Amino acid sequence: ESLLELHTASLIDDLDGRPVLVPVWIGAYRYRDHPYRVLINGQTGQLLGDAPFSWLKLAAAIVAVLVPLAVIVAVVLS
């Protein structure tokens, strides 16, 4: 008998399985020649996937929110 032999045995009883259909939406797009895929679980709304990210656009969005907010605060406090 070789040392590399492996003998296993399994007994599984009383299994019950039902198929469950969950709606999943799949989106695929290309941005700057790079493919992206998004999966959305229709039951929980959970998103899975990658998205393109730009630090410049993030900074612009933050400035677009903070500048008007600062103007409003300056007007209210004066």
Side-chain angles (χ1 to χ4, degrees), residues 29-53:
Y29 60 96
R30 183 175 293 275
Y31 178 72
R32 293 188 178 173
D33 292 331
H34 189 273
Y36 294 93
R37 181 172 300 168
V38 177
L39 302 171
I40 304 171
N41 183 328
Q43 190 172 16
T44 64
Q46 182 180 11
L47 236 62
L48 178 67
D50 295 328
F53 185 76

Side-chain angles (χ1 to χ4, degrees), residues 12-36:
I12 301 173
D13 194 15
D14 290 331
L15 286 179
D16 183 26
R18 294 182 209 155
V20 177
L21 300 176
V22 176
V24 174
W25 285 273
I26 302 172
Y29 60 96
R30 183 175 293 275
Y31 178 72
R32 293 188 178 173
D33 292 331
H34 189 273
Y36 294 93

